[in-house]
Amino acid sequence: MTKLAALLGSVAVALAACGGGGGASTPAASDSAPPAVRCYELVEGSSRAVIKVEAAPSSNDAQGGQVTVYSYLDGVEEFTPETTAGRLEPDAFVYADGTRLSLTDASLTWPQDSLLEGAVFTATSCP
């Protein structure tokens, strides 16, 4: 397992403990709603990590969202994708512990004082 994959796996496990995963559903469309699905990647050598951010509203949280972390080494999946629930805003995904990933059409950026501090993932197609 690569260093990036190990770190992403640790992040997924730690954040999953803060707020469990959930199934995705399609939100009602609105002008202020973020896109239903966005994917971002970080490539280091032969390792590629993809974070899929999507809406997952529920009866108790209309802004519900989830992230799924995928990791590939030489094009082969390294571990089973991990999904974690949170809140999806137009410009951010917020984990239950308050960790806030900044989202734009072009990138996803991890915040200061997080496990992946300053890591910038760039927009890509979804797995």
Side-chain angles (χ1 to χ4, degrees), residues 21-110:
S25 60
T26 304
S30 83
D31 292 337
S32 62
V37 178
R38 299 181 188 180
C39 289
Y40 305 90
E41 70 178 349
L42 181 64
V43 178
E44 290 185 352
S46 61
S47 182
R48 175 178 178 247
V50 176
I51 296 178
K52 181 179 183 180
V53 181
E54 60 191 317
S58 65
S59 59
N60 62 348
D61 186 359
Q63 284 188 294
Q66 64 185 26
V67 295
T68 303
V69 177
Y70 301 83
S71 182
Y72 305 93
L73 181 60
D74 293 324
V76 177
E77 191 172 85
E78 278 192 283
F79 56 81
T80 302
E82 294 280 339
T83 300
T84 306
R87 186 177 69 247
L88 185 58
E89 299 175 353
D91 64 349
F93 177 85
V94 184
Y95 284 99
D97 72 349
T99 300
R100 184 181 187 84
L101 307 180
S102 296
L103 306 175
T104 69
D105 288 338
S107 66
L108 174 154
T109 305
W110 283 80

